[in-house]
């Protein structure tokens, strides 16, 4: 680096300053400093308060140019930069410089962010959410033995003995965003597998799933069993019930074990397929099965109860039985659920 500096000595002061900043952080990284030491050194170089925040832990380090913790409330940053690890933003670094930014602040923050990511990775486990799909698959596979699954979980950053839920996700949103929302306290890891997203989390808050996500939640315990439960629960999700925990399914989970050819051959399911050709009728049947009441279904659909009654009468003629009878409501509910298991997300791969 010294030789390079000499060769570029004829360049302007900004370039020479940038090279010195790069050399400064190269030296810090070779010394394997931790985050507090990195913040102290950076504050001394910048001659202003330096801040480092990690999203995963919520920890914030603010250090003044004297090497001590900065007093008072954080000021509005004069400049910021994201800390990125494995293509995921895991934190932020910033400067609290009074007055206008220094011409070298951008270079300094860029190198500080790189150094902070290296420190987090070194002293981890890394607080990223996205994980190696092969390692996640090993952790949830029924084909792996218990020892292999335990080792995979340790490599993913889950301490031994800590309960882990597996969540099956169907969404176009980023899995790391979903993971950090449903398990903000960490640890949580995620990876896409073939046809579905997988999130492993020590705790899951079902109400924190964002709109547009369908998710099945497995129970804690053996991760291979939790994965199978999560896949099953995902199949029971609907637009009205986008998040389903396996433990809440009870005996309904047995329907997922019925072979598809048997389900398709059932007369009620075949008739339900004809009903599903009309989105209006399908929505009406869904509301009626969910509430068990004509009037409550009408309230949910924002329709007059007489309009819903006419629709249910027509649907009953298509299905071949009266929906207003208790047995008819049960048959319709089972047929609707079975039909969704054939058409919804999370179906096991075939072939």
């Amino acid at each position: 680096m010294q030789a390079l500096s000499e060769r570029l000595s004829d360049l302007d002061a900004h370039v020479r300053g940038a090279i010195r900043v790069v050399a400064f952080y190269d030296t810090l990284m070779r010394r394997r400093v931790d985050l507090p030491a990195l913040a102290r050194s950076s504050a001394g170089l910048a001659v202003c308060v330096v801040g480092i925040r990690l999203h995963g832990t919520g920890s914030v380090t603010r250090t003044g140019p004297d090497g001590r913790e900065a007093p008072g409330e954080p000021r509005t940053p004069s400049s910021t930069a994201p800390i990125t690890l494995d293509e995921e933003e895991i934190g932020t670094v910033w400067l609290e410089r009074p007055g206008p930014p220094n011409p070298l602040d951008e270079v300094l923050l860029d190198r500080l962010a790189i150094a902070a990511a290296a420190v987090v990775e070194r002293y981890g486990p890394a607080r990223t959410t996205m994980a190696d799909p092969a390692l996640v698959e090993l952790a949830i596979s029924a084909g792996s033995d218990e020892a292999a699954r335990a080792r995979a979980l340790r490599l993913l950053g889950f301490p031994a003995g800590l309960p882990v839920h597996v969540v099956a996700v169907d969404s176009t949103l980023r899995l790391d965003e979903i993971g950090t929302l449903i398990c903000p306290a960490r640890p949580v890891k995620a990876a896409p597998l073939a046809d579905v997203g997988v999130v492993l989390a020590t705790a899951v808050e079902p109400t924190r799933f964002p709109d547009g996500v369908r998710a099945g939640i497995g129970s804690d315990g053996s991760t291979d069993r939790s994965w199978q439960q999560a896949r099953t629960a995902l199949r029971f999700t609907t637009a009205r019930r986008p998040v389903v925990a396996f433990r809440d399914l009870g005996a309904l989970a047995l329907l997922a074990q019925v072979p598809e050819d048997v389900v398709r051959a059932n007369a009620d399911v075949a008739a339900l397929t004809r009903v599903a050709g009309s989105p209006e009728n399908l929505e009406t049947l869904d509301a009626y099965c969910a509430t068990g009441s004509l009037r409550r279904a009408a309230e949910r659909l924002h329709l007059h109860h007489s309009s819903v009654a006419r629709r249910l009468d027509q649907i009953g003629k298509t299905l071949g039985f009266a929906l207003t009878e208790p047995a008819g409501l049960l048959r319709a509910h089972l047929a609707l659920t079975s039909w969704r298991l054939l058409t919804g997300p999370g179906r096991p791969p075939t072939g």
Side-chain angles (χ1 to χ4, degrees):
M1 181 60 70
Q2 182 62 36
L4 178 61
S5 298
E6 293 174 356
R7 287 199 300 271
L8 297 176
S9 60
D10 58 332
L11 296 180
D12 60 33
H14 177 78
V15 174
R16 291 197 301 272
I19 292 173
R20 293 191 183 99
V21 170
V22 171
F24 177 85
Y25 281 101
D26 284 347
T27 300
L28 288 180
M29 292 171 73
R30 285 196 299 271
R31 292 176 179 173
R32 296 177 177 269
V33 297
D34 57 12
L35 281 181
L38 180 62
R40 287 194 300 271
S41 299
S42 299
L45 178 64
V47 197
C48 70
V49 173
V50 166
I52 302 174
R53 183 185 191 281
L54 299 180
H55 299 329
T57 61
S59 63
V60 176
T61 302
R62 290 178 66 246
T63 306
D66 59 358
R68 300 177 181 178
E69 181 179 350
E73 293 296 321
R75 296 184 178 182
T76 301
S78 55
S79 49
T80 65
I83 304 172
T84 304
L85 182 61
D86 296 335
E87 299 184 355
E88 178 185 345
E89 183 178 325
I90 64 168
T92 306
V93 294
W94 69 89
L95 301 179
E96 298 177 21
R97 184 182 300 286
N102 186 291
L104 290 174
D105 283 356
E106 184 177 351
V107 178
L108 188 152
L109 280 176
D110 179 65
R111 300 305 297 181
L112 173 56
I114 293 172
V119 170
V120 171
E121 186 173 35
R122 181 180 301 124
Y123 295 108
R127 294 293 180 173
T128 55
T129 300
M130 298 306 294
D132 180 357
L135 199 57
V136 170
E137 187 169 15
L138 181 63
I140 63 176
S141 174
S144 306
D145 58 37
E146 186 174 347
R149 287 193 295 270
R151 180 175 181 273
L153 287 173
R154 288 197 300 272
L155 291 174
L156 288 167
F158 293 96
L162 198 66
V164 178
H165 295 264
V166 184
V167 183
V169 177
D170 181 53
S171 174
T172 58
L173 299 180
R174 287 172 56 97
L175 286 174
D176 57 322
E177 296 177 2
I178 297 171
T180 53
L181 280 174
I182 66 173
C183 186
R186 303 290 182 101
V188 57
K189 294 290 180 180
L193 291 186
D195 59 334
V196 71
V198 183
V199 177
L200 292 88
T202 52
V204 179
E205 298 185 22
T207 60
R208 293 179 63 91
F209 281 92
D211 293 339
V213 173
R214 290 203 185 187
I217 306 171
S219 304
D220 60 9
S222 176
T223 48
D224 61 324
R225 183 171 64 253
S226 183
W227 168 235
Q228 294 303 319
Q229 292 176 349
R231 288 291 300 247
T232 297
L234 178 61
R235 297 180 63 192
F236 283 86
T237 60
T238 67
R240 295 186 185 276
R241 192 186 181 194
V243 179
V244 174
F246 181 83
R247 67 174 180 270
D248 295 332
L249 289 174
L252 281 177
L254 296 173
L255 290 176
Q257 300 180 27
V258 180
E260 285 197 6
D261 56 345
V262 174
V263 176
R264 293 183 189 280
N266 181 268
D268 287 355
V269 176
L272 197 285
T273 302
R274 295 192 293 274
V275 172
S278 167
E280 181 180 86
N281 285 342
L282 185 62
E283 183 181 25
T284 300
L285 182 61
D286 175 54
Y288 181 61
C289 289
T291 61
S293 163
L294 189 152
R295 290 188 178 275
R296 288 202 299 272
E299 291 173 0
R300 179 172 289 193
L301 294 168
H302 305 292
L303 295 172
H304 193 275
H305 64 86
S306 61
S307 298
V308 174
R310 285 193 297 271
R311 289 187 186 180
L312 291 177
D313 181 65
Q314 184 60 44
I315 294 170
K317 292 178 180 178
T318 302
L319 292 176
F321 53 84
L323 293 173
T324 52
E325 297 295 328
L329 175 60
L330 177 61
R331 284 178 64 178
H333 194 184
L334 289 174
L336 179 60
T337 302
S338 298
W339 175 79
R340 281 182 170 143
L341 291 177
L342 295 175
T343 60
R347 294 173 58 202
T350 57

